[in-house]
Amino acid sequence: MNFFKIFFGVCLISSFSFAMTGSELKECYYTSPSFCDGFTMGIVTVGVQAGIIQPLPKKVTVPQIIAIVKKYLKEHPESLHEEASNLILLSLSKTFDK
């Protein structure tokens, strides 16, 4: 059951992400911040609902989530070629799944 939930979530996120890379997302935060903030929160919402990542703590704010993703992108330039959706979820997993 979990396999299908994760598989469906990954497929859904991959089709939703328009194949944006981490590099494109990083640039987008500066050129179109409102769009990228919404894009990020959409990926996070689907990731949590599909069970790909654990639910975030209740007191986490949207600006905090955006800051975590931006920090991850800045600190991991070797990963910027990967899909933005994967990097968004990875950054939050590494931050909150401790």
Side-chain angles (χ1 to χ4, degrees):
M1 178 73 171
N2 275 343
F3 171 77
F4 292 111
K5 190 189 283 189
I6 292 170
F7 177 75
F8 176 73
V10 169
C11 290
L12 187 60
I13 288 172
S14 295
S15 65
F16 176 71
S17 69
F18 309 111
M20 183 184 290
T21 65
S23 182
E24 292 166 333
L25 179 64
K26 185 177 177 183
E27 182 179 330
C28 183
Y29 279 127
Y30 298 101
T31 59
S32 303
S34 294
F35 171 80
C36 287
D37 290 356
F39 174 83
T40 299
M41 293 312 300
I43 296 295
V44 171
T45 301
V46 171
V48 170
Q49 289 179 349
I52 297 171
I53 62 172
Q54 296 295 318
L56 302 178
K58 292 184 186 234
K59 294 187 178 186
V60 174
T61 64
V62 171
Q64 185 179 6
I65 291 170
I66 301 303
I68 290 166
V69 174
K70 284 181 176 179
K71 180 181 179 207
Y72 186 86
L73 295 175
K74 181 178 180 181
E75 293 178 354
H76 294 88
E78 73 281 1
S79 300
L80 293 178
H81 67 282
E82 296 177 27
E83 281 192 38
S85 58
N86 294 341
L87 296 175
I88 291 167
L89 298 178
L90 182 62
S91 68
L92 295 172
S93 291
K94 287 188 174 216
T95 301
F96 294 111
D97 288 352
K98 293 183 178 180

